[in-house]
Amino acid sequence: MCRVCDRDDPAAAPLVALFGRDGSFPADKLDVFGPLAAVWVENRRNTAVDGGLLNEQERLWRGGEL
């Protein structure tokens, strides 16, 4: 999950919002993490991988642009 790539994904956005900009996770939000993660995982199971997009995102990530 990427805070930039997935922020507009309805299943991921609530999870992305829980994490701080540095990637930290607040311990007081642990109770909401489980249900949100379950929704996101189920959504991922029903989503096909776009190989071209994945390769482009990897290229950007490796180049420090993502």
Side-chain angles (χ1 to χ4, degrees):
M1 181 179 306
C2 169
R3 77 174 199 274
V4 175
C5 309
D6 294 323
R7 68 178 167 232
D8 295 327
D9 178 339
L15 278 173
V16 171
L18 288 178
F19 287 86
R21 291 191 58 73
D22 64 354
S24 64
F25 183 81
D28 65 329
K29 300 293 184 187
L30 193 56
D31 60 327
V32 297
F33 177 81
L36 292 175
V39 169
W40 179 74
V41 168
E42 188 59 33
N43 184 270
R44 294 301 97 193
R45 287 183 186 163
N46 297 317
T47 303
V49 173
D50 180 336
L53 179 60
L54 180 61
N55 289 335
E56 176 63 11
Q57 288 180 344
E58 179 186 15
R59 183 189 68 74
L60 292 169
W61 178 76
R62 290 186 183 275
E65 300 175 52
L66 185 60

